[in-house]
Amino acid sequence: MARAGVTAERLTRAAADLADEIGFHNVTVSALARGFGVKPAALYAHVKDAQDLRVRVALLALGELAERAARALAGRAGKEALVAFANAYRSYAKEHPGRYAAAQIELDWETAVTSAAGRHSDMTRAILRGYDLPEPDQTDAVRMLHSTFHGYVSLETAGGFRHSPRAADASWARTLDALDAVLRNWPPA
Amino acid sequence: MARAGVTAERLTRAAADLADEIGFHNVTVSALARGFGVKPAALYAHVKDAQDLRVRVALLALGELAERAARALAGRAGKEALVAFANAYRSYAKEHPGRYAAAQIELDWETAVTSAAGRHSDMTRAILRGYDLPEPDQTDAVRMLHSTFHGYVSLETAGGFRHSPRAADASWARTLDALDAVLRNWPPA
DNA sequence: GCAAATGCTTAAAGGTTGTAAGTAAGCGAG
DNA sequence: CTCGCTTACTTACAACCTTTAAGCATTTGC
């Protein structure tokens, strides 16, 4: 019995890759074990249980997404920053649907603040620096931006825009135009 | 063996109720059968398989949501219509998280157009009548509205707004203000 | 080179989906 | 009213997934 060299990290990456292929929902401990050529029970030495594995994939995805977003944001401001950030977000979700789905699972407060989840709202706030919004409008705008990005990507992935001939890319670009416009002209309370 | 009186409709409603209680994800054929006091196999006489059941719950939810939205929209126009529609959407998701989750599953094209899914974009278009947008801006705006509503509700449900002291209700109201503002002042291409 | 730690296997219990075949209850017609 | 058909449900079973416990084998460290 040659050793397969399973580690929590390799397991997490394999689970993420598998999720992108067959859907996050369909990733099982058994399928993962088959991929490593070991019995399912062997994985429990590296990972607490199936939920622990899911959380690890979620944290991996959040980290990758934050890194990509940070790279997109570097050296840009205003609308350019908004568009770059949004595109980084959307392209990640399209290239890695399984990872993106993983990133949406509920994390307990402790895990969430420690993880890259906090970095995301920090970056969104960084975009807003170019629009000069006071609190609490800034928080509201962060939530609106995040909602629109996530909602659009989520609906697009679920096939919600396939019924109309209008290209999803075009609507996306116009949605970003609209967001930029409303941030530059934020309505008074 | 007294008959339990299982039908596809009652099964669907029970599944929807159970989903609201324990999460759509956790609804199993077995748990449902236990609720009816019958063996799991009995359910397969009324429903093709687990996926069929999920689709039925999705269609139920889409129908209920469409009905609630239509009621909210009746006799309103402009921002009032926008706010009423959005609130109907959000309140349904909060009252029926399991049903709402069900409504997000992918439906094949045939099922989707036959179902209430089409009615939803029709209603969103009805809201936009008050803002007088030409095509294809109208389609883009429909997609943006739907994305923002779904994204906000989705993130809120997943606990994404619990890290900040700012009330989710307040940000929601301001987000609707912003949407109204950008629809009244839609940026040119 | 031997002992301890580590990595994987076998074994087994318990839960889930789904099919097939058997039984019992209800219903309609003669 | 009872015979027989349809319908509803049960039992039985196969396949798969999760997770724990115990055992063996391979590395590693002293």
Side-chain angles (χ1 to χ4, degrees), chain A residues 142-160:
Chain A
V142 164
R143 289 175 174 178
M144 180 181 180
L145 286 182
H146 196 177
S147 295
T148 309
F149 297 161
H150 169 56
Y152 197 98
V153 162
S154 176
L155 293 176
E156 185 183 7
T157 306

Side-chain angles (χ1 to χ4, degrees), chain B residues 51-65:
Chain B
Q51 184 56 23
D52 178 36
L53 185 65
R54 284 181 213 117
V55 170
R56 283 169 190 267
V57 176
L59 296 180
L60 171 73
L62 284 171
E64 288 177 352
L65 187 50

Side-chain angles (χ1 to χ4, degrees), chain A residues 25 106 109 136-137 140 143-144 147-148 150-152 154 158 161-164 166-167 171 174 178 182 186-187 189, chain B residues 25 106 109 136-137 140 143-144 147-148 150-152 154 158 161-164 166-167 171 174 178-179 182 186-187 189:
Chain A
H25 188 77
E106 268 190 77
W109 195 83
D137 293 333
D140 298 337
R143 289 175 174 178
M144 180 181 180
S147 295
T148 309
H150 169 56
Y152 197 98
S154 176
F161 298 153
R162 280 201 287 261
H163 310 306
S164 162
R166 174 74 168 164
S171 292
R174 299 293 286 128
V182 80
W186 194 254
Chain B
H25 186 77
E106 267 189 79
W109 194 83
D137 293 334
D140 298 337
R143 290 175 173 178
M144 181 182 180
S147 295
T148 309
H150 170 57
Y152 197 98
S154 177
F161 299 154
R162 279 201 288 263
H163 310 308
S164 162
R166 174 73 168 164
S171 291
R174 300 293 285 129
L179 286 174
V182 79
W186 194 254

Side-chain angles (χ1 to χ4, degrees), chain A residues 11 23 45 56 60 67-68 71 96 106 118 149 162 175 178:
Chain A
L11 217 44
R56 283 169 190 267
L60 172 72
E67 198 199 341
R68 188 184 284 217
R71 204 187 305 274
H96 300 292
E106 268 190 77
F149 297 161
R162 280 201 287 261
T175 296

Side-chain angles (χ1 to χ4, degrees), chain A residues 62-64 66-67 70 85 112-113 115-124:
Chain A
L62 285 170
E64 287 178 353
E67 198 199 341
F85 182 87
V113 295
S115 78
R119 284 208 277 154
H120 288 196
S121 41
D122 291 348
M123 285 190 287
T124 314

Side-chain angles (χ1 to χ4, degrees), chain B residues 106-189:
Chain B
E106 267 189 79
L107 302 175
D108 55 270
W109 194 83
E110 187 67 20
T111 312
V113 295
T114 313
S115 79
R119 283 208 278 154
H120 287 194
S121 41
D122 291 348
M123 285 189 287
T124 313
R125 278 205 151 70
I127 295 173
L128 293 182
R129 231 169 279 150
Y131 295 97
D132 199 33
L133 284 176
E135 283 292 5
D137 293 334
Q138 197 177 105
T139 297
D140 298 337
V142 165
R143 290 175 173 178
M144 181 182 180
L145 286 182
H146 196 176
S147 295
T148 309
F149 297 162
H150 170 57
Y152 197 98
V153 162
S154 177
L155 292 176
E156 184 183 9
T157 306
F161 299 154
R162 279 201 288 263
H163 310 308
S164 162
R166 174 73 168 164
D169 281 354
S171 291
W172 172 253
R174 300 293 285 129
T175 295
L176 297 184
D177 288 345
L179 286 174
D180 171 66
V182 79
L183 287 175
R184 278 190 286 100
N185 218 334
W186 194 254

